[in-house]
Amino acid sequence: MNETFDTKTLRAMDSAHYMHPFTDTHDLAKTGSRIVTHGSGVYIWDSEGNKILDGMSGLWCVNLGYGREELVEAAAAQMRKLPFYNSFFNTAVVPAIELATLLTEVTPPQFNHFFFTNSGSEGNDTIFRMVRRFWDVLGKPTKKTIIARRNAYHGSTVCGASLSGMADMHTQGDLPIAGIHHIEQPYYFEFGQGMTPEAFGIKAAGWLEEAILSLGPENVGAFIGEPVQGAGGVIIPPPGYWTEIERICHKYDVLLVSDEVICGFGRLGRWFGCEYFGIKPDLMTFAKGVTSGYVPLGGVAVGDRVADVLIGKGGDFNHGFTYSGHPVACAVAVENIRILQRERVVERVAEETAPYLKAKFSTLADHPLVGMTETCGMVAGLILVKDKTNNALFSSSDAVGMRCRGHCFQGGVVMRAVGHRMIVAPPLVITREEIDRMIRLIRTALDKTLVDVRQLGLVA
Ligand SMILES: *Cc1c(COP(=O)(O)O)cnc(C)c1O
């Protein structure tokens, strides 16, 4: 790529006209964006020519890495053939039919029907409507409330943000909407210290039972959770948590929803996160990795229990998007899944890549700023601490995570900061050499962060 970019002009245009998501656009204008121009494999390049190892797979989605010609070709071929037709009025398009069929192969056996959206947020909005419709059709219209967790991320539409457990989102726009209840997250570091992880798993799942009993089981329709919380900072639940959650859902006849937008399509070394944790959800949300992010697509896997009611007894389901089952998005998803199968990507994650990431990432635990490291499949997180002897955290106003993130970017690796947690979720196709390089770059960034916090007098 020899294309040159006028970064200064692009930045001026950017701050004049482009309102960024989840950004203080006014603040951003002072520094200007980093403008990403192209990518190949696990690397991206910015408009100033810097090569950066993308430790976040774009935004948890570019699972096959950048520059896969087969995906480009799948999109181009479909655009030439039929760029768009809808599935509303007794019509269908070939790629959507193919994708729904292929998904029955790779999802757990209870899933035989699929509804398509453009995003994970719309997938969760769809689930909200499906859950209510399900109980209505069964003559139990009071089973409306959906229980979710604090610090969960389920998207940014009104319903997605309401299901999410992010205080910063709820305070803007008077959320959550009615009918959503939050329980505490299963975060061992915050709530489990001094307990065995197993005991904490049972305790944290018990918060669901308490909530169901206080709301009344006749009023609770579903529980939704991410197998591993992503945007909340890679919160990996303790062993036993999910099976206990499932037991409680069964006991009170509450639908179990697994938001697989990050964990789905191989991220944990199984096709879906629910398989990793050994549970059988009734509904799953997917997006991101379904197309490796090459084009937007999301959707809902509808378990037989729900499909039997919605399809078997429900009649018209008055819901859908213009682009539900968009042929180009579905064609790319089909090719993406075929590549995952052909190249045994999910198996390779389980057998080779994830164990290697775990071994290498855990070496960072000896760093003076690192309280603990955790990995699960191809997600990993570490906690920045002020004092390793007692795991004391920096105050949030010190913005140590943001400093560390800045040093990562400057040094050539994307790592995300979530409060005091630093996280990565690299492309599933990352090699051992690239993992080694990523860990070296992270260590250098931690060293630079340590120099900063010493200079600021935040540590001795
Ligand atoms: C990203 C994400 C969503 C929202 O997906 P969008 O495509 O951004 O709407 C929902 N759930 C989880 C777990 C996510 O990570």
Side-chain angles (χ1 to χ4, degrees):
M1 286 262 177
N2 298 318
E3 205 178 345
T4 55
F5 297 91
D6 179 352
T7 303
K8 204 164 159 251
T9 305
L10 284 170
R11 283 195 178 137
M13 288 155 63
D14 179 44
S15 27
H17 304 297
Y18 184 16
M19 191 170 173
H20 290 231
F22 283 97
T23 300
D24 182 335
T25 298
H26 181 261
D27 234 29
L28 178 65
K30 293 178 206 149
T31 48
S33 318
R34 181 184 295 270
I35 299 160
V36 177
T37 54
H38 59 287
S40 175
V42 299
Y43 291 99
I44 51 172
W45 279 261
D46 69 18
S47 59
E48 293 172 314
N50 297 303
K51 176 182 175 183
I52 304 162
L53 196 161
D54 184 5
M56 282 307 297
S57 309
L59 206 49
W60 320 88
C61 52
V62 188
N63 290 355
L64 288 178
Y66 299 89
R68 293 293 305 229
E69 276 304 319
E70 308 95 308
L71 300 179
V72 177
E73 195 39 52
Q78 185 57 46
M79 281 192 200
R80 281 187 203 104
K81 227 181 295 177
L82 181 71
F84 177 72
Y85 199 74
N86 70 69
S87 300
F88 276 51
F89 309 113
N90 302 344
T91 53
V93 295
V94 177
I97 298 171
E98 282 180 346
L99 178 59
T101 307
L102 186 55
L103 284 169
T104 63
E105 222 177 273
V106 300
T107 53
Q110 71 271 29
F111 295 109
N112 294 293
H113 292 89
F114 302 87
F115 189 96
F116 297 120
T117 68
N118 306 288
S119 67
S121 301
E122 290 174 356
N124 284 324
D125 278 49
T126 299
I127 281 180
F128 183 91
R129 301 199 58 193
M130 282 182 173
V131 166
R132 291 194 164 184
R133 179 77 189 136
F134 172 84
W135 292 115
D136 274 350
V137 173
L138 286 181
K140 298 183 178 176
T142 60
K143 275 177 97 68
K144 274 198 175 62
T145 299
I146 300 184
I147 299 179
R149 301 175 299 178
R150 191 181 71 79
N151 199 37
Y153 189 74
H154 297 297
S156 194
T157 50
V158 168
C159 178
S162 293
L163 290 168
S164 297
M166 306 278 180
D168 291 352
M169 295 174 79
H170 290 172
T171 52
Q172 298 184 344
D174 209 3
L175 301 178
I177 53 173
I180 292 172
H181 180 87
H182 291 92
I183 60 171
E184 197 43 88
Q185 60 177 339
Y187 186 20
Y188 184 84
F189 187 82
E190 195 173 354
F191 303 109
Q193 308 271 345
M195 301 176 76
T196 65
E198 290 76 11
F200 177 62
I202 300 296
K203 177 178 167 167
W207 297 330
L208 174 61
E209 185 158 27
E210 286 168 22
I212 293 172
L213 290 173
S214 83
L215 293 161
E218 70 284 5
N219 298 318
V220 179
F223 172 76
I224 184 170
E226 308 152 78
V228 170
Q229 287 157 259
V234 178
I235 310 294
I236 302 166
Y241 173 78
W242 272 113
T243 43
E244 181 65 4
I245 289 279
E246 180 175 56
R247 189 189 67 77
I248 292 165
C249 285
H250 287 170
K251 182 171 174 191
Y252 298 102
D253 203 16
V254 165
L255 293 172
L256 178 57
V257 185
S258 187
D259 182 340
E260 299 273 353
V261 171
I262 286 176
C263 296
F265 300 96
R267 172 96 11 224
L268 303 187
R270 299 293 299 266
W271 276 87
F272 291 88
C274 57
E275 297 170 291
Y276 181 93
F277 289 107
I279 55 165
K280 268 184 71 179
D282 299 297
L283 292 156
M284 298 197 300
T285 328
F286 58 88
K288 296 189 172 122
V290 65
T291 56
S292 282
Y294 278 57
V295 286
L297 178 70
V300 177
V302 187
D304 291 342
R305 178 180 179 199
V306 177
D308 287 350
V309 173
L310 291 188
I311 300 171
K313 306 192 179 78
D316 261 359
F317 182 46
N318 298 323
H319 175 66
F321 303 101
T322 300
Y323 297 141
S324 286
H326 193 287
V328 177
C330 292
V332 172
V334 166
E335 184 57 23
N336 181 65
I337 293 169
R338 293 214 171 115
I339 295 173
L340 291 174
Q341 290 177 317
R342 203 157 61 224
E343 300 184 359
R344 297 184 67 252
V345 174
V346 184
E347 294 80 358
R348 268 176 27 220
V349 164
E351 292 156 16
E352 301 167 31
T353 325
Y356 194 74
L357 177 69
K358 189 177 207 67
K360 294 292 157 173
F361 197 82
S362 66
T363 64
L364 296 167
D366 67 1
H367 193 276
L369 278 180
V370 176
M372 68 183 279
T373 65
E374 291 177 281
T375 60
C376 183
M378 294 302 284
V379 293
L382 59 81
I383 301 181
L384 294 172
V385 294
K386 198 174 179 136
D387 183 348
K388 274 175 97 90
T389 60
N390 58 8
N391 277 339
L393 298 172
F394 291 97
S395 101
S396 55
S397 60
D398 298 334
V400 177
M402 295 310 274
R403 284 174 202 283
C404 186
R405 188 187 78 164
H407 286 306
C408 284
F409 244 129
Q410 287 305 324
V413 63
V414 180
M415 193 176 199
R416 180 160 162 187
V418 182
H420 55 266
R421 294 178 70 86
M422 299 298 302
I423 60 179
V424 287
L428 305 185
V429 294
I430 192 170
T431 64
R432 288 178 175 230
E433 292 71 31
E434 288 160 347
I435 290 175
D436 290 343
R437 183 183 161 86
M438 178 174 80
I439 301 298
R440 276 200 308 278
L441 293 171
I442 292 172
R443 184 174 284 278
T444 305
L446 287 166
D447 288 342
K448 289 189 173 153
T449 309
L450 183 60
V451 171
D452 279 2
V453 294
R454 283 196 175 129
Q455 270 170 6
L456 290 164
L458 300 176
V459 297

